[in-house]
Amino acid sequence: MNEQFPTGKNTVSYSEVSTWASCAYRHKLAFIDKIVIEQNWIHARYGTALHKGIENYLKNKSLDLDAFSLELKDIWEKENYPDYETWNSWGITCLTALPEWMNSQFPDWEFIGVELRIEENIPKEDQIKFKGFVDCIIRIPLNKEKTRWKTWIIDWKTAGPRGWDRQKRSDELVLSQLYLYKSYFMQIFGGESREIGTAFILMKKGSKKEKCIDFIPVSSGPKSMEKANKMVINMITSVRKEKFFKNKYGCKWCPYFDTSHCSR
Ligand code: SF4
């Protein structure tokens, strides 16, 4: 099959698949019609700055709080965002708590990589590849001799002070991000599924130092990975067939809701 994919690209990402799974019509507006809605990106911009601070720590095993504050200040000034001091203090609290938290959660952890780029063949698909960036990979020894290791694929998320509720923690669509990253990680590097753990780590805004980091391990066995890969195939098939059904139950957080682009 050599016809161009409707998005004009030969890759799909988790974010694209997840948008499609929430509402196929929303996927069409965002990824085919490429209609951009102005949104408030303050949380996303904070998340990017915090990610950099975390990466910096993981690579060097030492914190550079000044670099984080400077980066955040630069963004806040350029975008004219309010209340820099509060946002900065949230980030500093999380970063300051990170070293001790990492050492207790992942004793003897070793850094493997950050922002690992994936661009891999999708099983049973000959035109489109899966593309993504894995936030962080570390490993921990399973014995004193350090001859056996467990690898962890981690995705950092920023969240409000309460973190994620039970529904979000068990939402298969949310968890599919890690199912897919693990599946493609194994496609590249091999390894046994049981030797590779997956987790979201929440950095909570406005929480005290002792409570600002939440560990959400995600059980990602072969069946979960297979199911997530099936979702990707379904998405590609449906988009090729130009089936763009609206999901009126997904409108609450949709940027196209109540705009000229979607009258429902
Ligand atoms: S407003 Fe609702 S139906 Fe329209 S694109 Fe968004 S989620 Fe889909």
Side-chain angles (χ1 to χ4, degrees), residues 61 107-110 139-149:
K61 284 213 177 182
D108 268 347
W109 65 277
E110 287 189 4
R139 65 176 188 170
I140 54 168
L142 296 177
N143 57 5
K144 273 189 190 162
E145 299 74 31
K146 297 194 173 180
T147 53
R148 291 174 49 239
W149 295 85

Side-chain angles (χ1 to χ4, degrees), residues 5 17 34 46 71 78 91 95 111 128 158 172 188 240:
F5 196 55
V17 174
K34 304 190 194 306
Y46 167 79
E71 167 104 22
K78 270 189 198 143
L95 288 173
F111 171 75
I128 307 296
T158 51
E172 282 293 304
I188 300 169
R240 266 200 189 111

Side-chain angles (χ1 to χ4, degrees), residues 23 25-26 29 246-248 250-251 254 256-257 262 264:
C23 174
Y25 193 73
R26 178 173 170 182
L29 294 174
K246 291 183 179 180
N247 174 17
K248 63 178 181 175
C251 304
C254 177
Y256 302 107
F257 177 63
C262 184
R264 290 202 286 160

Side-chain angles (χ1 to χ4, degrees), residues 207-233:
S207 269
K208 287 184 182 154
K209 190 181 165 199
E210 314 76 59
K211 290 188 172 176
C212 65
I213 305 179
D214 259 6
F215 180 57
I216 305 185
V218 173
S219 167
S220 46
K223 277 192 182 158
S224 302
M225 290 189 277
E226 195 185 323
K227 212 167 138 193
N229 271 309
K230 267 189 193 155
M231 177 173 67
V232 176
I233 292 286

Side-chain angles (χ1 to χ4, degrees), residues 5 7 38 81 88-89 164 176 182 186 192 203 215 253:
F5 196 55
T7 59
E38 274 301 312
Y81 288 150
N88 183 52
S89 73
W164 288 0
S176 289
K182 176 171 164 179
M186 288 174 65
E192 296 284 329
M203 306 298 265
F215 180 57
W253 305 108

Side-chain angles (χ1 to χ4, degrees), residues 130-184:
F130 182 83
K131 186 176 173 181
F133 290 89
V134 178
D135 264 358
C136 165
I137 301 150
I138 58 166
R139 65 176 188 170
I140 54 168
L142 296 177
N143 57 5
K144 273 189 190 162
E145 299 74 31
K146 297 194 173 180
T147 53
R148 291 174 49 239
W149 295 85
K150 178 162 182 168
T151 302
W152 280 92
I153 294 174
I154 291 167
D155 197 84
W156 305 93
K157 302 282 189 203
T158 51
R162 292 187 182 173
W164 288 0
D165 61 18
R166 196 183 297 178
Q167 193 183 354
K168 183 152 185 180
R169 284 167 182 255
S170 57
D171 183 336
E172 282 293 304
L173 189 54
V174 173
L175 307 185
S176 289
Q177 180 181 6
L178 290 175
Y179 301 156
L180 288 169
Y181 285 179
K182 176 171 164 179
S183 167
Y184 289 103

